[in-house]
Amino acid sequence: MNGVARGSSRRKRLLAVVLFSMIFLSGCLGGSQENSRQTDADGDIVLEVWHTFAAESKEEQVFMNSVSTFETAYPNVTVEVTMVPFGNADQLFMTAAQGGQAPDLMRLSSDQLGAIGEVRVDGFPLLEDLRPHLTPQDRAIFEERALQAMRYGDALYGIPASQDCLSLIFNKALFDAQGLEYPDETWTEQDLLNAAELLTYQDVQGLAIPIKTAYWWFPIQEGFGGSLFDDDGEPSLDSNGSSEAMRWMLDLELEHGVVATGTQIEGMKNQFISSKAAMIFDGPWNWATYEASRLNIGQTLLPMVESTGERMSPLVTYKGWTVSKQSANKVAATELALWLSSLDVQKEFAVETYTMPTHVELESDSDINDDAVLAGFLEQTKEGTPAPTTRAMSLVYDPLSTAFEQAYSGIASTEEALSGANQQLEEQIESISRADPFPLAEGYRTIAIEFETTGATSYDIFVDGALHTEIRVESMVDGSLLGYDSCTDGTNELLQLGQQRIASGSMDTIECHLTGMIPEQDHFIEVFGDDVLIFSTTQLTSVADERPEAGDTSPVLFALGAIVLSLIALLSFAKWNDTKLGRTKSKLAHFYVAPALLALAILTFYPVLYGFWLAFTDANQTQLGDQSFIGLDNFFEVFSAEGFLRVTLFTLVWTVVNVSAHIGIGLFLANMLHRSRIRGKVAYRTLLLLPWAVPSYISVLVWRGMFQPDGFVNDLLGTNIDFLSDPTGAQIIVILVNIWLGVPFMMMSISGALQSIPKDMYEAAELDGVVGWAAFRYLTLPNLRSALIPLTLLGFIWTFNMFNVIYLMTDGGPNLYFGQPGQTDILITYVYDVAFREGAYGVAAAWSVIIFLMLFAFSWRYMKQTNATEAVA
Amino acid sequence: MTDSTDMRWWYVPMEIVMLRRWIVAAFLVNVLLLTVDYLRAESDLLLLGILSCLLFAALRASLPNVNDHVRRNLSLVLSAILLGIAVYRLLRTELTVFNLWIHCWSLIPSGLTLYWLSGRPVTVWTSRKLSDTAIEYGLMRNAELSKTFHATSTHITLLHFVAITVIPLIWIIDIAFSEGNALGGQIGDSFTTEHFSKILNGDSFWTWLTNSLIVSIGTALLGLFIAIPAGYAFSRYKFTGRDVSMFSFLLVQMFPGIIILVPYFLVMKTLGLLNSHLGLILAYCVTALPLCVWMLKGFFDTIPRELEEAAALDGCNQFQVFTKVVLPLSTPAIAVTALFSFLAAWNEFLLALTFNTSNDMYTLPVGLASLISSTGQAWGDFAAASLLVSLPVALLFLFFQKFLIDGLSAGGVKG
């Protein structure tokens, strides 16, 4: 009997192992199929494109149209389009790239390039340097400023398809009501202020502008003569002009009251839409929204600043199409990128969606110039300052937001705040890790030719019958070195003026590297000197594309196999041990537990172990995938971080208050609904559960909106308080919102547990006179113990690591001190900042390990204290 | 009949019993409401507010006992003063629904105290010795009133909680039905269903919905399938490695998930689970497992072993014992854990986004996020879509309550 039982259980175990390995193997096969998606069954090229246009939007429509015209024009190419949520796009791209799954093409903005340009995965950049891919003629159609914005260092990482910047938009009806002239390009900042003061009456504000947001401050800063960086690219936030600009901007609210208290980006839009603000600094992207709200609006250039005579100059950012370094079809991908930035597509975008073009010919296009709005916004971009595509630029926002909080709350003067921000920015630039520029593969998509000069005044190089490079011989030299491709007179690089190369005249030969050639394809090259053929050749380049190996998954597979095998071994040992100890009752226990444990182990043990390993390495975004062991350095950095104790303390307060409230209120409501015999119990319970049903993303944002100065809470109170900019207020509010979110779950779980208490128990107790509080205390609570213990424990862990609420409500702010966590940051939100804003993954992992250890210590103690693992019965 | 004095001490009119509780509640709410006056920075009203709180405390302390007409009169005076202050404060402030509600919290308790204390039952009770028949009548009356009063106080309490719960949701509904795409404005200033028709007419929404349903239902089923045996084993058996296994379920939740997203992605890639429903189902199961296993274990603990032993004696094998005895008794817990797994999958965003990089595989939360672009936040569309996402869940809540109410009471544990 015993032998049979043991034999059958062994067979079962064997069966489980076999089954599992089968699932496992099929999984691996599936995995290897995944990698080769470059071509489909017919040998056609498949391009995967990620875009961030909103779902169901006009932009998406125009984009999809242009993709399908591309597919018609290139029948051998299939384009797979994926829409990626805007807020997560670059992070998602980096994750996919680390897994070897990056798309071929992606739309990025120039300020994202400043962060992504420094990223290296297994030693490779994320994006392809497009310099060898484009001919001088391909580039010639784009504004030089736009192209320059797509460059990080020397590399050209994208093809600019659009640009945007702020401008002045005004509500004509509100101006008419006051009998004021509409703003025009002759206005000074004083005119703006005067008009805004006249327009501020009753519930209307003169101006809507988020006065603590750096992006809106940049134009004013330029107008007052400040600049973000000096000529050498060093931060120069601490100039007089900058602090005057900040003072002027803050005074719009604090001194003159023409801007509503605590206006933020969303609030600003709402004020303008509901005709509660007469003027707004906003971009063309919102024009359609305002028109759809039936506003009669106009646009003009941002005003001049009287004292400097400079016009306010908004930051111009560019959006462009980038090609992934991992793409297997870079030639086709570049072709598509050019198509998506071509004249027709840009024009359609401009006309349909107010997207400002970067194509030089569209500046003089009649359709665009006839449209006053388009022409006006395009004019504004010319007055703008292109955002430098540098690492420093991507770091500038955090210190500035702290500077604004300091100056706004009066902790520091604008001078002090800005010089603090400058110092902080310099320190960050100093400490941030940098990657070396990635070298171009010589000869890739490039053919070098050398021809003797004939004394002609111009040389035109044609490739396959199309003009490629123009060289003009001229003694006057005032061109520049752009560094996209190379043409030398033997020793010196020829300068460039417009689209032409300039040779000074006295050379014998000219050597040119012709870019944009297709590998393994013969190209017929002709050179004309003053329209006379002087040289011709047929050449090809066979230098292959250099790209990272598609992510090798065998180490992961090995690790997973090891985890599974050791788990099975452990379980078998435990089983053998039990048999030896004679616990015959539990002969199937391990078998019952195994599926859950295996699922857990396969999916999550490896990531967690990897996270631990990361904490002891120098992992950062410039060397993803090839980090090395550095011991405990990261932990020293964590413990020496300023504000470590403050964040830990607030995390504890946050967790304890939340969990107590969740359990307390949940218990109260569940008990009340369970015990009382009232009508409408089902309705009450359903209504009370609703916060759990609504996606927390939107309910948290609605709560944030309700706590704004023009929000619902202030309407109720009849006040005008900016709750979230006050440190204590913000802390209380994030906790309240999280309580609101968490109660339904606890209520539901406790309701479930309450059902396990037999009703006759209460009846018996009632006969003994045990009712109300006593019944709750001595009957309900003890019986809920087995449910409350895990709920409290898990609630504690979840709340400790609750990211969404704080991230969406305040993003950790208000951030009052440079280089420190914000006032509402908890450990997890700060870890996020360290990892994704600073790119210091090793340090972030060390923070994570510390979080883990804190929770581990708490949970272990709690478990032992409450005997949570023991059965109560 | 010998203990008529005792009985007299024992009998307290229902009004007094209720006032003892309600005045405490009124005191607490008024203390909370002081923040309103504080935020409005109206110092004289704040002082009056503090005064009423103190008076409520005094009123609670002075509520009369039997044959104590001095305290009754004191209480009457106090509540009259409170009523006066409340009326004055009401007149001082602008008459809005919110202000009215605030002042109801001092108007009604003080008015009710005044009314009840001057009413006959309390007057009689405090002023003269009651006969036994009067006490018996009083007790009967108490039993009748008790139900009404309890129901009223329960309704009032629940309505307050429901209001706090629902107000932000009303806001979402308003945004969804308002013209334009603003996050704000006045409730009910315009009405349109354009956002709904836009979302419902697009193909994407239905794709997202299908994916979400597959993934969430799959998660709930698979989650139960692996959590129930584990929970049962943890509850019933003592075996080597038990505590460690239980603890290991928690371990994974302790490490911040966003840091280990990349290795997680690699694992899914290695297993060939990217861009598949199964991948998400497995990942969500693992997320939901700790709660499911621990909750089920806790619930199984409360089911008496004697029942199983009895069933075993009747000739059931272990599997039958489990399916015929344990499972039916644990419907509420299974319903709650299934609901939890379902919602964990229904609302999850980050993993769904990371593991599924094709629009055909997007779930609702990812789809919702892609309605927001760099430039135009289409809040109207977004709110409409959110409501559409919440609707099935709200129906699910309605449906699941059947299990909560029918649960054990129907199963009948008579150990």
Side-chain angles (χ1 to χ4, degrees):
Chain A
M1 181 69 190
N2 206 1
V4 173
R6 208 179 296 155
S8 80
S9 81
R10 197 180 298 142
R11 266 203 304 282
K12 273 180 192 157
R13 200 185 313 141
L14 199 68
L15 191 71
V17 173
V18 171
L19 267 177
F20 206 83
S21 352
M22 275 166 65
I23 296 171
F24 207 4
L25 277 175
S26 65
C28 307
L29 291 176
S32 53
Q33 283 158 5
E34 195 74 27
N35 283 330
S36 46
R37 284 231 323 242
Q38 347 163 341
T39 52
D40 68 9
D42 308 325
D44 286 353
I45 295 170
V46 179
L47 291 178
E48 199 183 335
V49 183
W50 284 8
H51 72 83
T52 51
F53 303 113
E56 315 286 341
S57 64
K58 194 108 187 176
E59 283 89 351
E60 191 198 23
Q61 224 175 348
V62 176
F63 168 73
M64 293 307 285
N65 285 345
S66 54
V67 166
S68 57
T69 51
F70 177 83
E71 284 181 314
T72 324
Y74 294 78
N76 65 329
V77 180
T78 311
V79 183
E80 280 178 8
V81 174
T82 302
M83 152 191 70
V84 180
F86 162 74
N88 310 73
D90 30 357
Q91 220 169 293
L92 206 58
F93 185 71
M94 278 171 63
T95 308
Q98 288 178 69
Q101 303 277 50
D104 296 283
L105 224 68
M106 167 142 176
R107 185 168 171 268
L108 286 173
S109 77
S110 56
D111 44 357
Q112 285 169 306
L113 285 182
I116 281 185
E118 208 65 59
V119 178
R120 296 287 179 274
V121 174
D122 299 323
F124 286 89
L126 287 179
L127 301 174
E128 172 73 357
D129 187 346
L130 294 174
R131 282 180 293 166
H133 293 268
L134 306 184
T135 69
Q137 302 307 315
D138 288 336
R139 294 192 317 261
I141 60 172
F142 301 107
E143 274 180 36
E144 186 51 43
R145 289 203 316 184
L147 269 179
Q148 205 56 40
M150 287 286 126
R151 296 183 78 173
Y152 185 79
D154 283 334
L156 174 67
Y157 277 144
I159 299 176
S162 69
Q163 53 182 332
D164 27 59
C165 70
L166 294 172
S167 190
L168 181 62
I169 303 179
F170 52 92
N171 184 327
K172 290 181 180 169
L174 291 176
F175 273 81
D176 292 342
Q178 293 297 298
L180 290 173
E181 295 280 318
Y182 299 148
D184 59 35
E185 69 280 358
T186 63
W187 268 28
T188 65
E189 97 282 11
Q190 198 53 47
D191 295 328
L192 181 84
L193 185 57
N194 292 341
E197 281 181 327
L198 289 172
L199 287 159
T200 304
Y201 65 101
Q202 289 169 7
D203 61 345
V204 177
Q205 301 287 332
L207 182 64
I209 174 173
I211 58 158
K212 289 188 279 181
T213 309
Y215 183 71
W216 272 259
W217 171 69
F218 295 145
I220 302 170
Q221 183 205 22
E222 291 276 339
F224 278 88
S227 66
L228 288 172
F229 303 99
D230 61 20
D231 296 336
D232 305 324
E234 299 293 322
S236 59
L237 301 173
D238 49 353
S239 69
N240 283 336
S242 299
S243 77
E244 261 180 71
M246 185 181 257
R247 190 72 261 158
W248 187 83
M249 185 157 162
L250 291 176
D251 279 348
L252 289 174
E253 177 195 315
L254 299 177
E255 174 83 24
H256 309 294
V258 297
V259 171
T261 311
T263 303
Q264 290 186 349
I265 300 173
E266 267 318 312
M268 158 188 104
K269 272 178 70 179
N270 291 336
Q271 288 168 26
F272 195 69
I273 287 177
S274 51
S275 290
K276 283 188 180 151
M279 294 180 279
I280 187 170
F281 281 20
D282 209 343
W285 53 85
N286 279 330
W287 186 268
T289 312
Y290 296 149
E291 275 192 335
S293 312
R294 303 196 185 90
L295 297 175
N296 182 10
I297 49 176
Q299 174 270 339
T300 189
L301 296 182
L302 293 179
M304 313 276 288
V305 174
E306 211 160 354
S307 56
T308 60
E310 301 276 331
R311 187 177 289 284
M312 291 184 184
S313 168
L315 200 71
V316 185
T317 52
Y318 298 84
K319 294 210 171 65
W321 291 99
T322 61
V323 174
S324 158
K325 190 80 195 164
Q326 288 173 358
S327 168
N329 298 299
K330 298 206 178 77
V331 177
T334 313
E335 208 59 47
L336 177 56
L338 281 169
W339 182 278
L340 293 172
S341 319
S342 64
L343 182 110
D344 290 344
V345 176
Q346 286 204 20
K347 187 167 167 180
E348 202 180 342
F349 264 107
V351 173
E352 298 283 331
T353 71
Y354 295 106
T355 307
M356 293 301 113
T358 58
H359 199 291
V360 279
E361 283 173 37
L362 285 174
E363 277 174 37
S364 48
D365 187 277
S366 59
D367 288 338
I368 296 214
N369 281 321
D370 288 350
D371 185 326
V373 180
L374 280 177
F377 278 115
L378 206 54
E379 184 67 25
Q380 181 73 69
T381 61
K382 288 190 198 128
E383 297 288 338
T385 310
T389 308
T390 56
R391 190 75 182 101
M393 184 65 211
S394 70
L395 294 171
V396 98
Y397 291 93
D398 280 348
L400 274 180
S401 113
T402 302
F404 269 103
E405 293 292 353
Q406 287 189 344
Y408 182 79
S409 59
I411 294 180
S413 67
T414 52
E415 289 86 5
E416 290 162 352
L418 281 170
S419 79
N422 205 55
Q423 198 182 338
Q424 170 68 15
L425 183 59
E426 278 170 356
E427 278 169 26
Q428 272 190 325
I429 293 170
E430 188 81 14
S431 68
I432 206 123
S433 52
R434 291 192 165 275
D436 294 328
F438 192 77
L440 284 172
E442 194 163 334
Y444 174 58
R445 293 204 76 177
T446 306
I447 291 173
I449 59 161
E450 191 175 358
F451 59 90
E452 285 173 14
T453 53
T454 58
T457 57
S458 74
Y459 300 94
D460 294 333
I461 305 172
F462 281 74
V463 177
D464 300 327
L467 180 64
H468 187 282
T469 303
E470 294 170 89
I471 301 164
R472 198 149 47 92
V473 182
E474 204 172 79
S475 52
M476 204 184 74
V477 176
D478 58 352
S480 54
L481 277 171
L482 292 176
Y484 290 108
D485 49 13
S486 166
C487 261
T488 65
D489 59 4
T491 44
N492 291 322
E493 187 66 39
L494 299 183
L495 296 181
Q496 198 150 9
L497 186 64
Q499 290 314 314
Q500 292 174 324
R501 294 286 186 150
I502 300 164
S504 52
S506 59
M507 68 279 157
D508 301 326
T509 59
I510 290 178
E511 193 191 342
C512 274
H513 294 260
L514 306 177
T515 51
M517 302 297 112
I518 295 169
E520 307 293 352
Q521 185 177 317
D522 278 330
H523 286 288
F524 178 54
I525 299 159
E526 300 159 292
V527 180
F528 294 86
D530 287 343
D531 297 331
V532 180
L533 182 68
I534 57 168
F535 176 84
S536 73
T537 175
T538 301
Q539 283 189 37
L540 63 72
T541 171
S542 50
V543 177
D545 176 24
E546 182 189 14
R547 67 190 184 96
E549 307 248 320
D552 181 14
T553 51
S554 55
V556 185
L557 193 59
F558 180 77
L560 291 184
I563 288 170
V564 170
L565 288 179
S566 42
L567 188 67
I568 291 175
L570 273 175
L571 281 175
S572 313
F573 168 76
K575 172 118 183 72
W576 171 79
N577 195 37
D578 280 353
T579 320
K580 203 180 68 176
L581 291 174
R583 290 178 183 158
T584 46
K585 247 193 92 182
S586 62
K587 61 187 175 196
L588 283 176
H590 293 101
F591 186 68
Y592 286 159
V593 178
L597 274 181
L598 277 173
L600 191 74
I602 292 179
L603 291 191
T604 58
F605 279 17
Y606 173 77
V608 172
L609 291 175
Y610 188 91
F612 268 89
W613 149 245
L614 221 52
F616 298 94
T617 66
D618 57 354
N620 65 55
Q621 57 179 359
T622 60
Q623 45 186 26
L624 295 170
D626 45 17
Q627 58 273 17
S628 46
F629 184 78
I630 53 161
L632 291 171
D633 286 8
N634 291 331
F635 290 91
F636 291 128
E637 191 160 330
V638 170
F639 286 120
S640 62
E642 274 179 285
F644 172 75
L645 280 179
R646 181 164 58 81
V647 188
T648 312
L649 196 69
F650 181 62
T651 312
L652 282 177
V653 171
W654 154 268
T655 313
V656 170
V657 173
N658 269 312
V659 175
S660 326
H662 289 159
I663 299 267
I665 300 175
L667 195 56
F668 175 76
L669 290 175
N671 193 50
M672 181 173 262
L673 283 167
H674 182 67
R675 297 289 304 139
S676 62
R677 299 179 194 90
I678 53 161
R679 277 158 195 254
K681 257 180 16 175
V682 174
Y684 277 126
R685 210 186 255 133
T686 309
L687 285 172
L688 288 170
L689 285 175
L690 279 181
W692 196 16
V694 181
S696 65
Y697 187 94
I698 188 159
S699 46
V700 172
L701 287 181
V702 164
W703 272 112
R704 194 183 71 178
M706 287 173 49
F707 280 109
Q708 296 302 323
D710 54 353
F712 178 70
V713 175
N714 273 303
D715 281 355
L716 278 188
L717 295 174
T719 51
N720 197 21
I721 305 167
D722 193 359
F723 292 103
L724 291 172
S725 75
D726 173 66
T728 322
Q731 287 175 345
I732 293 173
I733 285 167
V734 288
I735 290 177
L736 287 179
V737 170
N738 196 48
I739 291 176
W740 182 86
L741 273 177
V743 164
F745 164 71
M746 285 296 176
M747 193 187 101
M748 188 72 170
S749 306
I750 294 171
S751 295
L754 280 173
Q755 309 297 324
S756 73
I757 308 174
K759 277 201 176 136
D760 38 10
M761 232 186 216
Y762 283 104
E763 283 154 20
E766 214 170 320
L767 287 182
D768 296 339
V770 180
V771 285
W773 172 249
F776 177 75
R777 172 73 188 80
Y778 296 106
L779 201 64
T780 315
L781 268 190
N783 276 296
L784 282 180
R785 213 180 103 91
S786 63
L788 284 181
I789 287 169
L791 281 176
T792 317
L793 188 53
L794 279 161
F796 193 91
I797 296 173
W798 289 334
T799 314
F800 204 89
N801 280 341
M802 170 60 89
F803 174 74
N804 268 346
V805 175
I806 288 178
Y807 180 71
L808 293 173
M809 282 293 285
T810 62
D811 197 7
N815 212 330
L816 290 177
Y817 304 101
F818 294 110
Q820 286 190 28
Q823 301 293 313
T824 55
D825 258 324
I826 56 173
L827 285 165
I828 183 94
T829 56
Y830 189 59
V831 168
Y832 180 85
D833 279 357
V834 172
F836 298 109
R837 303 227 168 113
E838 297 173 24
Y841 291 95
V843 183
W847 279 95
S848 306
V849 168
I850 288 166
I851 293 179
F852 177 87
L853 291 177
M854 287 179 185
L855 286 173
F856 186 95
F858 167 80
S859 310
W860 187 256
R861 226 191 112 66
Y862 183 85
M863 219 172 80
K864 287 290 144 195
Q865 195 94 33
T866 54
N867 287 324
T869 54
E870 299 307 317
V872 179
Chain B
M1 291 299 109
T2 48
D3 292 333
S4 63
T5 39
D6 289 349
M7 244 185 33
R8 195 175 313 132
W9 286 113
W10 198 54
Y11 165 68
V12 178
M14 207 58 207
E15 287 90 343
I16 297 289
V17 176
M18 278 296 146
L19 280 180
R20 282 181 186 157
R21 289 191 204 161
W22 288 1
I23 287 173
V24 174
F27 170 75
L28 290 175
V29 173
N30 274 294
V31 169
L32 279 179
L33 287 175
L34 288 179
T35 47
V36 173
D37 289 323
Y38 170 74
L39 288 172
R40 283 175 174 166
E42 294 189 60
S43 48
D44 48 341
L45 284 185
L46 182 61
L47 281 177
L48 280 180
I50 295 172
L51 182 64
S52 351
C53 288
L54 292 176
L55 286 174
F56 268 119
L59 180 59
R60 172 65 184 82
S62 72
L63 278 180
N65 277 325
V66 62
N67 295 352
D68 193 347
H69 60 270
V70 181
R71 277 171 70 178
R72 168 179 167 260
N73 294 340
L74 180 62
S75 297
L76 278 173
V77 172
L78 284 175
S79 48
I81 299 174
L82 270 169
L83 192 62
I85 295 177
V87 171
Y88 173 73
R89 285 207 296 166
L90 182 63
L91 293 176
R92 271 285 307 273
T93 48
E94 209 186 326
L95 195 69
T96 61
V97 177
F98 179 68
N99 283 338
L100 200 61
W101 169 78
I102 291 183
H103 296 302
C104 275
W105 271 102
S106 46
L107 278 176
I108 294 179
S110 53
L112 211 56
T113 316
L114 210 54
Y115 175 69
W116 277 348
L117 289 190
S118 54
R120 198 177 139 73
V122 177
T123 319
V124 172
W125 176 65
T126 49
S127 52
R128 61 177 132 92
K129 281 188 177 176
L130 292 176
S131 68
D132 290 351
T133 41
I135 288 173
E136 263 169 39
Y137 171 76
L139 284 174
M140 266 165 60
R141 184 176 160 275
N142 270 2
E144 261 169 44
L145 282 181
S146 149
K147 265 186 201 162
T148 335
F149 286 0
H150 268 112
T152 316
S153 57
T154 311
H155 277 298
I156 291 176
T157 318
L158 287 173
L159 279 174
H160 276 82
F161 277 98
V162 166
I164 297 171
T165 307
V166 166
I167 282 173
L169 307 177
I170 291 176
W171 216 252
I172 299 178
I173 296 172
D174 177 63
I175 298 169
F177 284 105
S178 291
E179 285 170 12
N181 270 313
L183 180 70
Q186 295 298 310
I187 296 268
D189 49 2
S190 63
F191 180 82
T192 172
T193 52
E194 60 180 19
H195 302 300
F196 288 95
S197 51
K198 185 177 167 191
I199 301 283
L200 291 174
N201 290 334
D203 298 333
S204 326
F205 181 79
W206 299 105
T207 317
W208 302 336
L209 182 70
T210 320
N211 288 330
S212 268
L213 281 176
I214 295 176
V215 170
S216 306
I217 294 174
T219 305
L221 293 180
L222 185 68
L224 283 183
F225 188 72
I226 54 183
I228 289 176
Y232 186 71
F234 285 135
S235 166
R236 283 296 182 264
Y237 304 122
K238 205 162 176 62
F239 53 91
T240 314
R242 182 168 165 279
D243 289 12
V244 178
S245 319
M246 278 193 80
F247 197 61
S248 69
F249 282 103
L250 298 177
L251 283 182
V252 173
Q253 313 245 325
M254 296 177 192
F255 205 91
I258 40 172
I259 298 301
I260 52 179
L261 215 50
V262 170
Y264 208 167
F265 181 84
L266 289 176
V267 168
M268 297 307 264
K269 190 191 167 194
T270 310
L271 298 174
L273 293 173
L274 292 179
N275 277 321
S276 69
H277 290 133
L278 183 64
L280 277 189
I281 291 176
L282 282 173
Y284 292 155
C285 276
V286 167
T287 316
L289 262 183
L291 180 97
C292 294
V293 169
W294 277 75
M295 278 291 281
L296 285 169
K297 183 247 165 203
F299 204 89
F300 291 142
D301 284 347
T302 62
I303 297 175
R305 278 160 196 262
E306 293 79 12
L307 283 180
E308 289 173 59
E309 281 157 15
L313 281 180
D314 290 344
C316 292
N317 63 26
Q318 204 173 8
F319 183 73
Q320 282 170 324
V321 168
F322 184 71
T323 49
K324 298 236 163 95
V325 179
V326 180
L327 274 191
L329 288 179
S330 17
T331 345
I334 291 176
V336 169
T337 43
L339 192 63
F340 173 78
S341 315
F342 183 92
L343 277 165
W346 189 260
N347 283 334
E348 204 280 342
F349 172 71
L350 199 58
L351 294 182
L353 178 70
T354 312
F355 296 156
N356 283 343
T357 50
S358 134
N359 288 164
D360 302 338
M361 298 299 299
Y362 274 8
T363 56
L364 282 167
V366 183
L368 281 194
S370 60
L371 288 170
I372 292 182
S373 78
S374 57
T375 51
Q377 279 92 339
W379 287 114
D381 300 343
F382 192 73
S386 303
L387 287 184
L388 291 172
V389 171
S390 322
L391 199 66
V393 183
L395 294 178
L396 201 67
F397 285 157
L398 275 176
F399 170 73
F400 260 81
Q401 294 197 28
K402 210 175 68 168
F403 294 101
L404 287 187
I405 290 153
D406 292 351
L408 255 200
S409 44
V413 181
K414 301 253 159 83

